[in-house]
Amino acid sequence: MTVFLQSLISGVLVGGVYALIGIGLTIIFGVMRVINFAHGDLLMVGMYLTFFAFTLLGIDPFLSVLLVMPAMFLLGAVLQRVFINRVLDALPQNQILLTIGLGLVMSNTAMLLFTSDYKILTTSYSSGAFQLLGLSISKPLGISFAITAALTAALYWFLIRTDTGQAIRATAQDREAAQLMGVNVRRMSVIATGLGAALAGTAGALISPTYYIYPQVGGAFTLKAFVIVVLGGMGSVIGATLGGIVIGATESLAAVYISSGLKELVVYVLFLLVLLFKPAGLLGKSRM
Amino acid sequence: MDATPSSPGRAVSAPALVAWLLVLAGLVALPRFLDSPYALHMMVLLFLSIIMGEAWNVLGGYTGQYSVGHAAYFGAGAYTTMMLMQFKQVPPWYGVFAGIAVALLLALVIGSITFRLRGPYFVLASIAMAEILRLIVLNWKDATNGAEGILATEVPPLKVGSYLVTDFSTKVPFYYGGLALAVAVILVNWAVQGSKLGYYFQAIREDQDAAHSLGIHLSLYKNVALAISAVFTAWAGAYYAVYVGFIDPAAALGIDVSVQIVLICIIGGIGTILGPMVGSLVLVPLSEALRSNLIAEGLFRIGLVSESSPTGQFLRENLAHAHALIYGVLVVVVILFMPDGVLGFVRHALARRRAA
């Protein structure tokens, strides 16, 4: 029972970060109907930013979120303005291929700049743990979950309470109607991609103390982000939150009860089952 | 200009036919005049790329199903052939047909699951299926050697009865094997393009619902297109594995393989016979020139960059790893500026010139 609870808890904690990755992807998809295949590579860029902030400037990885978020927002906004904006009316497959191309450029630029060596970010608390009701919780995972929860709450507040947030939601619901109501749809697209990139980069910063950092790390996360988003229903922020936690917990339990090598396999099989039997996702047709 | 690739049907003009036959005759004669192993190697890579591109074209180009999971069939062909050869001493000549059979079976399973989905969902599901296969091969160490991969220690010669056809010790049999396969898959594309089957495929590509309402059995024809595609992709996988003599899960089943197959068509032009050939002619020499540091050497030679400068050092050390970066840049450029591929771009440019 302890093993079960222990792995469930660490799964849920990782799931919080997954949720952040998924929310970023789902916002981009919601506003522009473009699937961002470079999402994991944005996360990778966030990891490297965090790594160099730590090794060169001595900034704690969790503190570096303050730096990574605006930097990645900017990167996302530029990507939207320069590239994605031009394919908004193109065939979906061309949009997919464009973002695959952008991802290739990012990961291979990282490889040229930083080589393909694995980098590890070790902090003083990397192997530390909190004790809670007889269960031990890894410190990096616990802190990152707390930050994730705070960020997610702030994001909900932003989307629901602020004018910009409402405009984003309106654009996601119906692009044309929003435009007729005076929403600057182009600006919302830039903000959405910026926000998506910022969330992916932040997730990268938060997991950098617990994962290897290397140029190709994004691929696995791109696919994971889709699984999360599809699980929750494309375009749904609440769905992505839930999907992230479900995937985190599933992975963690599969690693303990099946085999750590097969935990991703379990996730993909789950993904296919959802696609086949509940293609609208666990939360049905809800939108953000 | 219309964005969808047009299909001229099966008609081939006499001059075009003569040109094709001349090219073919030249390619058949080429190894007599060109015995540099490096040149033959380049040609083998070119054939391989054409086979994969033309195979994908049947499903992606004519039928409009953008599979980004073709590594599954490539890997099935490569792994089945190599496992039979290395662990059961089955010559690859026979092993490849087992590989094709496995790929067909796999296509049936993958098709029945993924073809129920559309657009981005189909793309995602196709990736997931290939990833599942990669993870199985990676983890089933007893059968597949896991991440270590399989190294061919000795390729059994090809014999029919007691007659030795080839012993695979030079590159020449691979050259002719690749040429034959490339010609075969090009002919299949040509046959499909002008046939009733091909029109069904194109109807599905243009509008699934309309095609369905006209009585075209969607899943049947999608599966037929996938089967044709999978056969040649698996064949290419087996050919690659035996030629290189080594495979591992990343090289045979990784998402890079799938993306590369799609790129060949995207860059050349989708839904045309010439497209994958043009794409291969662009991609293969480019990535080989980068890999073998030809471009860095060239820059030194013409004096654009000094060999001893920091930039020169950087280029020498890194340009060889840059081919994937160049792929990425190419895709971005092609999607933004030549959405119909290099072929479509050239055609439009010619048409504009004629009009002017």
Side-chain angles (χ1 to χ4, degrees):
Chain A
M1 197 58 194
T2 321
V3 175
F4 176 79
L5 279 179
Q6 190 84 56
S7 49
L8 186 68
I9 285 180
S10 61
V12 169
L13 294 183
V14 173
V17 182
Y18 285 178
L20 220 49
I21 308 172
I23 294 171
L25 188 70
T26 221
I27 288 180
I28 297 178
F29 177 81
V31 170
M32 289 178 296
R33 293 289 176 273
V34 168
I35 294 190
N36 176 25
F37 264 82
H39 209 65
D41 299 293
L42 290 169
L43 177 136
M44 177 273 300
V45 175
M47 285 177 105
Y48 272 103
L49 281 178
T50 311
F51 176 79
F52 286 113
F54 181 72
T55 48
L56 300 180
L57 306 172
I59 301 175
D60 182 90
F62 292 120
L63 212 59
S64 71
V65 167
L66 295 173
L67 187 114
V68 169
M69 256 193 140
M72 293 302 293
F73 184 93
L74 211 66
L75 176 63
V78 169
L79 287 181
Q80 155 64 22
R81 283 297 287 276
V82 178
F83 301 103
I84 300 173
N85 203 15
R86 291 170 199 250
V87 294
L88 285 186
D89 298 319
L91 297 168
Q93 44 266 35
N94 282 14
Q95 300 171 339
I96 290 173
L97 289 164
L98 177 79
T99 56
I100 287 181
L102 291 175
L104 277 174
V105 171
M106 282 192 255
S107 59
N108 287 288
T109 306
M111 199 161 93
L112 281 186
L113 294 177
F114 315 129
T115 74
S116 52
D117 296 345
Y118 284 37
K119 297 196 188 323
I120 303 171
L121 198 164
T122 317
T123 57
S124 54
Y125 48 81
S126 271
S127 51
F130 302 114
Q131 296 300 326
L132 192 79
L133 303 170
L135 298 167
S136 73
I137 294 166
S138 136
K139 274 188 182 170
L141 283 186
I143 302 171
S144 80
F145 185 79
I147 297 177
T148 310
L151 278 177
T152 313
L155 190 71
Y156 277 114
W157 177 82
F158 168 76
L159 285 175
I160 290 171
R161 293 283 172 211
T162 65
D163 286 350
T164 313
Q166 288 180 343
I168 289 179
R169 281 162 53 219
T171 314
Q173 260 174 19
D174 190 330
R175 214 179 160 81
E176 276 172 28
Q179 195 152 22
L180 291 175
M181 291 295 140
V183 171
N184 185 341
V185 171
R186 289 172 65 99
R187 196 166 144 254
M188 292 313 131
S189 301
V190 172
I191 294 177
T193 315
L195 213 54
L199 291 174
T202 304
L206 294 177
I207 60 169
S208 58
T210 37
Y211 274 80
Y212 290 113
I213 302 167
Y214 57 101
Q216 317 295 349
V217 68
F221 281 103
T222 301
L223 213 52
K224 207 168 279 175
F226 289 128
V227 178
I228 291 161
V229 167
V230 168
L231 200 65
M234 284 267 200
S236 157
V237 173
I238 298 175
T241 314
L242 189 76
I245 289 171
V246 169
I247 293 297
T250 309
E251 264 192 10
S252 179
L253 292 175
V256 173
Y257 292 101
I258 302 174
S259 130
S260 67
L262 291 178
K263 65 177 188 183
E264 284 175 333
L265 190 94
V266 173
V267 170
Y268 294 143
V269 171
L270 182 71
F271 172 60
L272 287 174
L273 290 178
V274 171
L275 272 182
L276 288 176
F277 296 109
K278 203 140 181 3
L282 293 179
L283 292 187
K285 276 199 168 316
S286 71
R287 284 274 159 75
M288 55 182 182
Chain B
M1 284 288 165
D2 58 339
T4 50
S6 59
S7 301
R10 215 185 276 175
V12 179
S13 67
L17 188 65
V18 171
W20 281 111
L21 289 176
L22 279 177
V23 170
L24 183 61
L27 285 172
V28 170
L30 193 67
R32 290 187 148 273
F33 308 103
L34 194 78
D35 49 5
S36 128
Y38 186 67
L40 288 178
H41 172 70
M42 285 289 290
M43 293 304 290
V44 167
L45 292 183
L46 191 67
F47 293 145
L48 189 71
S49 168
I50 292 174
I51 299 161
M52 294 194 290
E54 297 281 357
W56 188 88
N57 194 42
V58 174
L59 183 69
Y62 295 125
T63 322
Q65 307 298 307
Y66 275 54
S67 155
V68 189
H70 259 46
Y73 314 109
F74 186 85
Y79 260 96
T80 310
T81 310
M82 282 292 265
M83 281 159 71
L84 284 172
M85 183 171 97
Q86 199 55 29
F87 304 140
K88 303 277 179 224
Q89 284 76 48
V90 177
W93 182 251
Y94 305 109
V96 64
F97 293 102
I100 290 171
V102 171
L104 271 175
L105 214 63
L106 205 62
L108 202 65
V109 175
I110 295 180
S112 66
I113 294 175
T114 57
F115 284 143
R116 292 205 245 160
L117 305 162
R118 291 185 182 189
Y121 294 96
F122 172 78
V123 174
L124 294 176
S126 71
I127 297 177
M129 295 302 290
E131 279 294 289
I132 287 176
L133 199 65
R134 183 181 68 84
L135 289 167
I136 291 174
V137 168
L138 189 66
N139 284 286
W140 193 11
K141 296 191 180 74
D142 298 337
T144 63
N145 273 0
E148 265 177 53
I150 302 174
L151 181 71
T153 44
E154 195 185 351
V155 179
L158 166 60
K159 284 181 183 166
V160 175
S162 60
Y163 176 71
L164 179 75
V165 181
T166 172
D167 60 3
F168 296 111
S169 60
T170 72
K171 292 193 191 307
V172 176
F174 289 104
Y175 177 95
Y176 284 114
L179 178 61
L181 258 181
V183 170
V185 70
I186 287 166
L187 285 176
V188 165
N189 266 269
W190 175 70
V192 163
Q193 186 167 278
S195 68
K196 204 169 168 182
L197 190 66
Y199 292 130
Y200 287 160
F201 288 174
Q202 288 161 52
I204 293 174
R205 178 186 69 196
E206 297 308 322
D207 189 337
Q208 289 200 33
D209 297 315
H212 183 66
S213 69
L214 289 173
I216 294 177
H217 195 310
L218 292 183
S219 66
L220 173 69
Y221 287 105
K222 286 181 187 175
N223 274 302
V224 170
L226 175 61
I228 297 171
S229 191
V231 165
F232 285 99
T233 309
W235 216 327
Y239 172 67
Y240 165 85
V242 177
Y243 177 68
V244 174
F246 173 74
I247 49 167
D248 65 12
L253 289 156
I255 188 167
D256 291 359
V257 178
S258 302
V259 171
Q260 203 166 332
I261 293 174
V262 183
L263 288 193
I264 297 166
C265 295
I266 296 291
I267 287 178
I270 286 181
T272 59
I273 294 177
L274 270 177
M277 290 187 239
V278 172
S280 301
L281 280 170
V282 172
L283 279 180
V284 172
L286 184 70
S287 75
E288 276 312 292
L290 287 166
R291 227 187 289 252
S292 58
N293 249 341
L294 219 64
I295 289 184
E297 298 295 335
L299 289 175
F300 301 149
R301 191 79 50 86
I302 59 173
L304 213 61
V305 180
S306 154
E307 200 171 340
S308 51
S309 69
T311 318
Q313 293 292 326
F314 180 81
L315 288 179
R316 174 182 288 275
E317 276 160 30
N318 292 304
L319 219 51
H321 307 296
H323 67 277
L325 175 63
I326 305 290
Y327 276 11
V329 173
L330 267 179
V331 177
V332 172
V333 168
V334 166
I335 295 284
L336 290 184
F337 302 110
M338 317 176 192
D340 298 335
V342 172
L343 196 63
F345 183 75
V346 171
R347 275 191 182 145
H348 287 186
L350 287 179
R352 263 200 305 276
R353 185 180 255 193
R354 225 169 285 142

